[in-house]
Amino acid sequence: MTELTKRALLTGLTAASLLTTAPAWAQGRNTIQQFVTPPKFSAQDQGRIDRAVAYLQSLGTGGGRFEQTDYKGRTTAGKWWLQRPGKIRFEYDAPYSLLVVSDGKTVNTWDPRLKAFNQYPLNATPLSLFLSKQIRLDQGVIVTEVTPTTDGFRLKARDRRRDVEGSILMTFIERGNALQLGEWTVTDQQGKGTRVRLVTFDRNTAVRPDLFVLKKPKGAN
């Protein structure tokens, strides 16, 4: 359970680099940085990137069900809620009953079985890729691959710093003339991937403000 919590949960949901292996998305270093040069995309692929950014930027409130599969093939599921910018909640089904909650500044996690409570700055997690007020895929985080699929396309992104490994593969699905984020797979610095599939996603639904508040419970480690 400890491995599931620390790797599958934090890798998958707090997701696009790793909280467990030095989160790269917003971590600074006192060394001279070398940067990956983004590929030159065709007009068609650049159009896909622009559509994905516009779609993510347009997200407001919503929620649904998710299913997560870790690198060993273990599957968990639960509910999730969104309120952009900044706020998201993942609530795992029993018996795990794990919680991951971003309040706009901090990502809080609670494992009731281990009585473990942890906090991480939102901008030090890959959740900021979806939750930031202004979404960019051409600066700190860059797209390295665009792959068409039968019902949409995939974008692979990574931290632009060369010494920061790991990536996220986002799958977008065409629904008529509309776009929808279907799933993402996070691959860590050891090449181990965790997949999060949005089983349902109901956009623009009302969400309660208290869903995005998670304080340290009494007796938590």
Side-chain angles (χ1 to χ4, degrees), residues 3 9 11 40 56 85 126 134 153:
E3 182 179 3
L9 168 61
T11 303
K40 292 184 178 180
L56 294 172
Q134 185 65 40
F153 58 90

Side-chain angles (χ1 to χ4, degrees), residues 173-194:
I173 302 170
E174 299 277 3
R175 302 290 190 194
N177 294 323
L179 203 61
Q180 180 175 315
L181 178 63
E183 64 179 64
W184 63 84
T185 298
V186 176
T187 301
D188 68 17
Q189 296 167 332
Q190 287 75 45
K192 297 173 180 177
T194 298

Side-chain angles (χ1 to χ4, degrees), residues 137-217:
L137 292 177
D138 60 356
Q139 293 184 343
V141 177
I142 60 169
V143 176
T144 58
E145 295 179 20
V146 180
T147 306
T149 63
T150 56
D151 58 354
F153 58 90
R154 297 189 181 99
L155 301 184
K156 187 175 184 179
R158 58 158 292 161
D159 192 291
R160 191 171 183 178
R161 289 169 291 179
R162 189 176 296 278
D163 62 344
V164 175
E165 299 180 3
S167 63
I168 180 170
L169 182 67
M170 296 175 287
T171 298
F172 294 88
I173 302 170
E174 299 277 3
R175 302 290 190 194
N177 294 323
L179 203 61
Q180 180 175 315
L181 178 63
E183 64 179 64
W184 63 84
T185 298
V186 176
T187 301
D188 68 17
Q189 296 167 332
Q190 287 75 45
K192 297 173 180 177
T194 298
R195 173 176 173 254
V196 176
R197 182 171 68 91
L198 302 182
V199 179
T200 60
F201 184 5
D202 300 318
R203 292 186 62 179
N204 303 318
T205 56
V207 292
R208 304 192 321 268
D210 64 302
L211 287 171
F212 309 107
V213 177
L214 179 58
K215 296 181 180 179
K216 186 175 183 178

